[in-house]
Amino acid sequence: MTERPHLVVLRHVPDAVVARLREHARVTDVSDLPRTAWGAALGDAIGVLGSSSTSIDAELVAQVPGLRIVAFQSVGYDNVDLEALRARGIVLTNARGSLVDAVADVTFWLVVAARRRFRLAVAWARDGRWMRGDAPFSNDVADATLGIVGFGEIGPAVARRAQAAGMRVIYSNRTPRADDAQTGAAYRSFDALLAESDCVVALVPLTPQTRRMFDDDAFAKMKRTATFVNAARGAICDTDALLRALEQKTIAGAALDVTDPEPLPPDHPLYAREDVVILPHVGSATVETRTRMSMLAAENLVAFVEGKPLLTPVALG
Ligand code: DGY
């Protein structure tokens, strides 16, 4: 009898996902162990199931001589050493398509939270300032212009929510899309988008080109009344530049589901600001969506083991 392939689960997944893998493979779940204790379990693995919080670096790849597939239960894979995978012909899959609505919901909530100054209003009620008078007015969402930077699969879902609330939507992308008539969003260059938007939403993946693309220069091009929302990756924004832009009132506020560093330490000055809303990277963190994401990673592993086409392969070039 031939030995069953060995798969290692690096991040916590629902039991049903592990059970699905066990139908086709020997499975070791190391998600409760510190990374330093993974060594022995990884030895003869042909595949690993990881996520955006598992760094797949050259050291880990070297630890697993038989590794042939990395299946990610995240869409972003900026923490994967793509060169190390390429050099060994290891394939990568991600979870695209499985989290669009959950992330779009949170992103649009951040748009509203920043524009309507929720952080200030919550503090106003909680701290007793309400007893002395009403909270300062905020600004309408309807009729404001939303600028989405990175218009892939989540951008149009955010646009639909924003348009339903009466916003105008523009976007910037590496190239203009062919479906502007369907999405109702108009293409702009990055600089034109910064100048025209009342709220700028970042949804670009983290790459060497997008790292710190929101810097002093970018914030200086935004309206002083505009807000900034980051629902992509913390490192596409220079955190110090964002803090400066808020302190100097170059922009009016920010709402973040991702930060750099992540987690953002509790004594970070951004938390103290009443013009900033911070969530702990929960865009896709619902039971239903996370289950779908990890099941998609499992189905990619099953397809690989069975020699079938992968569902969501990442082109490594
Ligand atoms: C993703 O899938 O990339 C989300 O940010 C969750 O990690």
Side-chain angles (χ1 to χ4, degrees):
M1 196 176 115
T2 54
E3 202 174 343
R4 307 182 92 204
H6 184 205
L7 302 174
V8 177
V9 174
L10 304 177
R11 297 302 298 179
H12 177 74
V13 294
D15 292 346
V17 173
V18 176
R20 173 73 179 129
L21 292 174
R22 289 214 161 108
E23 290 169 16
H24 297 268
R26 196 158 46 89
V27 180
T28 308
D29 183 346
V30 298
S31 59
D32 282 338
L33 300 177
R35 188 184 163 125
T36 45
W38 292 353
L42 286 171
D44 66 344
I46 63 127
V48 295
L49 192 158
S51 79
S52 61
S53 45
T54 330
S55 174
I56 307 287
D57 51 25
E59 195 191 333
L60 186 129
V61 172
Q63 255 182 297
V64 202
L67 188 63
R68 292 164 60 207
I69 176 166
V70 173
F72 247 37
Q73 54 168 329
S74 312
V75 174
Y77 48 85
D78 42 276
N79 57 337
V80 177
D81 186 330
L82 300 182
E83 201 37 62
L85 264 50
R86 253 185 234 117
R88 294 248 313 267
I90 297 166
V91 297
L92 174 68
T93 65
N94 74 349
R96 62 182 176 276
S98 62
L99 49 57
V100 173
D101 283 319
V103 176
D105 287 342
V106 167
T107 306
F108 186 59
W109 185 88
L110 291 172
V111 170
V112 178
R115 186 118 180 111
R116 297 302 311 269
R117 305 175 78 181
F118 281 177
R119 168 72 172 78
L120 168 68
V122 168
W124 198 270
R126 186 198 54 207
D127 301 345
R129 277 177 272 174
W130 193 12
M131 309 302 282
R132 301 191 293 276
D134 290 340
F137 290 161
S138 57
N139 293 100
D140 281 342
V141 169
D143 290 330
T145 298
L146 181 68
I148 302 179
V149 180
F151 209 57
E153 60 176 10
I154 297 170
V158 175
R160 283 196 295 281
R161 285 155 174 79
Q163 286 155 345
M167 298 186 90
R168 277 184 299 273
V169 181
I170 57 178
Y171 73 94
S172 74
N173 226 17
R174 270 177 307 184
T175 48
R177 290 174 50 132
D179 59 353
D180 291 1
Q182 281 82 54
T183 63
Y187 175 80
R188 297 284 189 276
S189 68
F190 181 52
D191 282 0
L193 178 142
L194 293 177
E196 194 176 331
S197 301
D198 297 304
C199 177
V200 175
V201 172
L203 281 172
V204 282
L206 176 62
T207 65
Q209 291 72 40
T210 62
R211 184 173 289 277
R212 308 244 157 102
M213 70 186 287
F214 287 92
D215 54 8
D216 290 304
D217 195 38
F219 290 122
K221 288 177 180 152
M222 287 172 58
K223 296 180 185 173
R224 295 185 89 81
T225 50
T227 52
F228 170 68
V229 170
N230 190 357
R233 282 292 181 267
I236 63 158
C237 173
D238 177 339
T239 305
D240 293 338
L242 174 61
L243 192 56
R244 271 192 297 277
L246 292 162
E247 279 166 358
Q248 293 165 11
K249 301 204 177 308
T250 309
I251 63 169
L256 314 171
D257 184 41
V258 290
T259 57
D260 182 31
E262 203 165 287
L264 194 68
D267 59 352
H268 195 281
L270 277 177
Y271 285 117
R273 300 194 60 86
E274 293 191 340
D275 51 4
V276 180
V277 174
I278 299 176
L279 301 181
H281 200 152
V282 292
S284 65
T286 67
V287 174
E288 299 83 354
T289 296
R290 283 289 168 87
T291 302
R292 203 165 39 242
M293 290 162 75
S294 47
M295 200 50 105
L296 177 55
E299 293 301 346
N300 272 303
L301 287 167
V302 169
F304 184 84
V305 165
E306 293 202 308
K308 294 188 176 153
L310 300 172
L311 284 78
T312 45
V314 173
L316 295 185

